[in-house]
Amino acid sequence: MSTTVLIVEDHPVNRDIIGRRLSKRGYTIRYAVDGPSAVEGAVEFEPDIILMDIGLGEMDGCEATRRIKDNPSTANIPVIALTASAFETDRKKALDAGCIDFDTKPVDLPRLLLKMNHALLVQ
């Protein structure tokens, strides 16, 4: 059984790169392009883990994460925030919203895989 990853990313190139790299490593990939589709996708796809872009449109990744965490059927899905911003305030905001971890873009795949494996173990 493969691990299902919901990638929430509004930039098509980033979405494609992350998805292809994880797919090659045996992950089942599902996509959401904004906050509302992330919240819906968490319910529909029942992913094992969510990679959440923080810089989304009117509903940012932090708000989408809060809504996912507020829903009892999706509350236990670990969420890792992905953002181009490396500011400590952004990291704190993501963790306060319910993200289990935080990583910066462009994605360093070995580092992200370590964080994903850790998040899946502690969920």
Side-chain angles (χ1 to χ4, degrees):
M1 184 178 114
S2 83
T3 300
T4 299
V5 180
L6 176 59
I7 298 173
V8 184
E9 171 62 63
D10 59 348
H11 191 276
V13 173
N14 290 345
R15 194 169 53 237
D16 184 56
I17 290 170
I18 296 168
R20 279 189 292 124
R21 292 177 79 192
L22 291 175
S23 182
K24 283 181 186 172
R25 284 159 181 81
Y27 292 92
T28 299
I29 307 300
R30 300 289 180 257
Y31 298 100
V33 297
D34 57 22
S37 66
V39 175
E40 292 168 14
V43 173
E44 180 183 347
F45 302 128
E46 300 178 350
D48 298 294
I49 190 167
I50 298 172
L51 301 179
M52 179 72 73
D53 182 20
I54 296 302
L56 299 170
E58 49 186 83
M59 182 195 299
D60 71 7
C62 290
E63 178 59 27
T65 298
R66 276 191 285 279
R67 292 185 188 194
I68 288 166
K69 293 300 179 178
D70 285 344
N71 181 341
S73 71
T74 58
N76 292 325
I77 302 170
V79 179
I80 296 177
L82 295 180
T83 181
S85 171
F87 293 113
E88 180 61 27
T89 53
D90 294 321
R91 181 182 178 282
K92 182 174 178 352
K93 184 179 172 193
L95 296 176
D96 288 348
C99 293
I100 194 168
D101 209 335
F102 179 92
D103 207 5
T104 55
K105 294 189 283 189
V107 169
D108 174 322
L109 192 63
R111 183 180 65 209
L112 179 60
L113 289 170
L114 283 172
K115 290 181 178 199
M116 289 172 63
N117 288 332
H118 176 64
L120 290 164
L121 286 174
V122 299
Q123 70 173 353

